[in-house]
């Protein structure tokens, strides 16, 4: 399990999400309160949009709480759209390539959750990644596969549908070859314009996911856990919900992988 | 605060102390139970004696729980005398040079505790290190200064007296220039032959320190916290105690820095 | 391109190969003389056999010339059989998982060379790794695939034949989907008992590979470049040669992947 | 010896200096042509000014040529004033704290050169740093001491004079306690407004230092080696020269530490 926080709105310093709030992402890396693993010390990452269509990416394998570079970067860099993540490995190696967010072209993606028994069918999941996206398969996580499958499924044209198909594919692999729970998912993604988030579970336990509009910042925060513990206005995204945030509105849609017809072959 | 574990006896695999016991040092790096900071993820180190008079030294800045090199090394290397440590930084940088154990010549040293207000008089403490030992001053911790002062005070001839004088000097600096608590100390050190440990506090709260003879291993373990929680035979070293372990015996002496006459000048 | 050095014989300190000779492996990491890339600063590794059937493994992403842990480890550890490697990446990421040697069970493997166009057919090569070995596929190098294919092809029963079949498979993939030169190879491998080395090329340029018996050490060194530049007794392994070293003898066999009938399907 | 490059002008991507030119700083980290050590692979750093009076700082111990974070950061971040550096250690440890640039408040500083015999009088040099600046003494390099002494000597009011006094002090320490050459210096520094550079030597061999105005960029580059090898307009700063660059002009002043009266005591 991991913790993450994302932002869309008027440009703010990265540290205004990552390290300054009372229950900031860095604070959650030390003492998370809404997940099984209290310590998220197996690496971190931030993807931020600024001057380029593609995001900047800073990821490393140290605990977020002690990294001087992260502290300095988050203190200096302003962005109106960024994703940040702290990791608690559930098995795959501590490596920069396994740190979130993942980026490809102008898309970025980060994830908290699990695909049941992934390690036992990782080879089969890798085979589902098409040749043209395989150069982006740099690590060994289920999260990176999920992202690459969503890219393959047409995330540019239809983010919701592509995520549903990617989740359906991995959930199906887990049902065939893995273990329960087949899919637990709390994820955020962006194309550099909008910020999307999804919360879903194949059973009845979905990882936490909250969002909130800040009048003072003129921006949206989307997070694993509220950034201030006594703060009003945090809404929980319902399980089976897909959130689309633009500058001026939040829209919650139904997220239901089961309605998608997927090709069970790989690559399909 | 930090956690540590040391061993003297018939050669065993490093992992028999570092990672295999139920409450091994690596387990303590994730959930320590007898100190303020439950997580000790700011680096680790091991110093082991084998073919050379001087110890081998492997230290790194990652959490001990995730380091593949530590796991492989501890699985392969056997030693009859070693010191191992996991760190929770109380301020100084996360850097290999600030990881314990410290080594100089055939001596090794590791430490859990604090010297009150050290950062405010670090320059003055550095000045107390004589020129000939200054090349060993590689980091910025109070622990390294304590070790170098003990070397200066004649640790080869009189380990107990040298440690008392080194502690007295730093405690005196803290009284003059620092804050309370002036000195809290739980440390282990070795010359490659004997294993020494010391527990001391300038107030009434000394960090925990236990030791135990294992018949099955034919060896002594000295630790911050017992390696198995239901295991008999762990003795607590009393505060103000100095433990000397050799192959065939354990001796507890009084440790009283106040009986030492120290030169208040630096270098003195 | 990379540089490597291996040893089999009476136990010596790792540093006797890695850092002490005039043209040691660490010296070659700074100024290699027989390969295109003079600097081999993209990580290093050592696999050594001692108390266990499986090797110890220490790999990291720093240049070998500056790593204090490598220096201390090589100074302290003795072994009668070890493989050591410095890396110059030809494209895949600088990551511990991409550092040589690779280890699985009691086998270890390291490699210098290239499989032409590997990145363009990496997905297809990964598919050739059978499910049961896929948990060992941790990085993204051609070298790791070559090792895992050799394991699949029965390296325990027939090291020479298994290496031929593995090389034939990858060379065939490169002919179908990659670029010239299809295969250039200088590799060493061990099961913890014998030390094997192979030199081969699909064109007429095979990477350098030398070996030598040392009377004073009572052991064999096998290297990319001689460890002392003025030293007699270094023999070049001919291209198309497979070297088997045991305690008392060296045997050179023909290495000819083309005589193997391979299954062109994956997994085959 | 090390290599460095700095920029002042209209905001550009960091990569326009760091990695894109034919003989960029990253290229110089692999093959420098005007210094003794061709390879500068012992860490790197960049300090950039943007939204804050103080610079952002990203430093790490890897070779610059392989660091994915540096590449992504330099691709995304724009700045109108930045300093960047690649290191070849001449003895002190490979550690983030020993990587340039150094920063304190709104000042940043980087350095190529040497203070003869520094390691033999490092303790005495550390003593010359006043208490209030000692918290900034995090590493063990001569470069960091030089920077802190310049801060002590009034760099805010008089950058040229403060640098002269700091250099005079260290050169004097080297004459008393060190070895020849006592001082060789090529350095750049900034307060977030102007960019300063200095070239000096106590003998007749000063490290190289060039600068150039770019019409297309509308900015100044100051470098160890020209960024394009066939490019016109690079001027060499004379030895004993102090360069002050502002938005609209370049001024070269005489740099002569010998005209300063310095206090030979420490702290003086």
């Amino acid at each position: 399990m991991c913790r993450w926080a994302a932002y869309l709105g008027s440009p703010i310093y990265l540290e205004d999400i990552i390290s300054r709030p009372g229950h900031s992402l860095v604070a959650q890396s030390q003492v998370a309160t809404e997940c099984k693993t209290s310590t998220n010390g197996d690496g971190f990452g931030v993807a931020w949009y600024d001057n380029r269509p593609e995001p900047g990416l800073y990821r490393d394998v140290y605990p977020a709480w002690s990294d001087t570079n992260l502290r300095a970067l988050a203190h200096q860099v302003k962005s109106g759209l960024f994703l940040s993540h702290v990791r608690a490995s559930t098995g795959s190696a501590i490596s920069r390539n396994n740190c979130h967010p993942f980026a490809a072209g102008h898309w970025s993606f980060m994830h908290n959750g699990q695909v049941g028994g992934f390690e036992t069918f990782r080879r089969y999941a890798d085979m589902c990644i098409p040749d043209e996206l395989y150069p982006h398969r740099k690590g060994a996580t289920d999260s990176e596969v999920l992202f690459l499958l969503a890219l393959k499924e047409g995330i540019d044209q239809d983010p919701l549908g592509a995520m549903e198909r990617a989740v359906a594919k991995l959930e199906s692999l887990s049902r065939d070859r893995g273990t329960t729970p087949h899919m637990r998912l709390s994820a955020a993604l962006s194309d550099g314009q909008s910020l999307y988030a999804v919360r879903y579970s194949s059973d009845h336990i979905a990882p936490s996911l909250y969002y909130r509009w800040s009048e003072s910042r003129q921006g949206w925060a989307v997070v694993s856990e509220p950034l201030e513990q006594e703060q009003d206005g945090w809404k929980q995204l319902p399980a089976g919900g897909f959130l689309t945030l633009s500058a001026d509105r939040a829209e919650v849609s139904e997220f239901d992988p089961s309605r998608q017809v997927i090709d069970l072959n790989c690559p399909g």
Side-chain angles (χ1 to χ4, degrees), chain A:
Chain A
M1 306 297 277
C2 311
R3 301 283 88 178
W4 57 257
Y7 176 81
L8 173 71
S10 294
I12 59 173
Y13 288 109
L14 301 183
E15 70 176 14
D16 291 336
I17 298 288
I18 289 178
S19 56
R20 290 194 59 218
H23 196 56
S24 71
L25 189 66
V26 166
Q28 293 176 40
S29 76
Q30 295 186 282
V31 189
T33 56
E34 300 192 29
C35 69
K36 283 181 294 185
T37 47
S38 164
T39 303
N40 292 272
D42 298 332
F44 63 83
V46 56
W48 75 101
Y49 295 90
D50 187 3
N51 298 302
R52 306 271 196 184
E54 62 270 28
L57 194 60
Y58 176 54
R59 306 186 297 180
D60 220 329
V61 296
Y62 308 105
W65 65 74
S66 65
D67 190 68
T68 49
N69 285 327
L70 177 63
R71 198 178 313 146
L73 190 75
H75 186 68
Q76 184 73 332
V77 170
K78 275 186 163 178
S79 171
L81 177 52
F82 60 93
L83 285 69
S84 57
H85 187 275
V86 292
R87 185 168 181 239
S89 169
T90 52
S92 51
I94 312 301
S95 154
R96 279 192 190 175
N97 287 328
N98 288 342
C99 289
H100 307 224
F102 303 97
H106 55 284
W107 281 95
S108 57
F109 174 86
M110 63 184 175
H111 172 232
N112 164 36
Q114 58 188 310
V115 181
F118 178 77
E119 190 50 34
T120 63
F121 60 88
R122 178 163 63 92
R123 178 178 159 276
Y124 201 83
D126 282 353
M127 286 172 53
C128 299
I129 302 167
D131 273 334
E132 64 273 19
L133 290 171
Y134 211 73
H136 293 291
R137 178 56 165 160
K138 292 179 177 161
T141 60
D142 50 5
S143 310
E144 192 184 42
V145 173
L146 182 56
F147 175 44
L148 296 178
L149 292 183
L151 288 174
K152 172 200 173 196
E153 294 292 341
I155 201 171
D156 265 321
Q157 293 71 43
D158 177 13
L160 169 51
M163 279 302 298
E164 283 181 338
R165 286 186 289 276
V167 167
K169 185 90 173 203
L170 277 182
E171 186 176 336
S172 148
L173 286 179
S174 175
R175 287 187 195 279
D176 285 358
R177 301 157 182 266
T179 56
T180 57
H182 295 302
M183 179 66 66
R184 285 184 183 160
L185 173 71
S186 157
L189 51 156
S190 178
D191 56 4
Q193 302 294 328
S194 300
L195 176 59
Y196 306 95
V198 55
R199 184 174 180 229
Y200 171 77
S201 177
S202 59
D203 60 6
H204 297 291
I205 304 171
S208 60
L209 199 168
Y210 301 84
Y211 63 106
R212 180 176 183 272
W213 171 258
S214 164
E215 270 300 321
S216 59
R217 280 179 186 155
Q218 291 290 304
W220 293 101
V222 191
V223 299
S224 296
E225 303 186 8
L227 297 172
E228 300 284 356
Q229 302 203 318
E230 302 295 307
Q231 198 171 45
D232 288 339
W234 290 100
K235 291 182 199 165
Q236 186 151 228
L237 183 67
F242 186 90
L243 177 68
T244 302
L245 294 171
S246 320
D248 53 351
R249 70 195 178 98
E251 185 184 318
V252 176
S253 309
E254 187 186 5
F255 183 82
D256 180 8
S258 72
R259 65 184 167 189
Q260 298 286 344
V261 179
I262 54 164
D263 184 339
L264 292 174
N265 293 316
C266 274

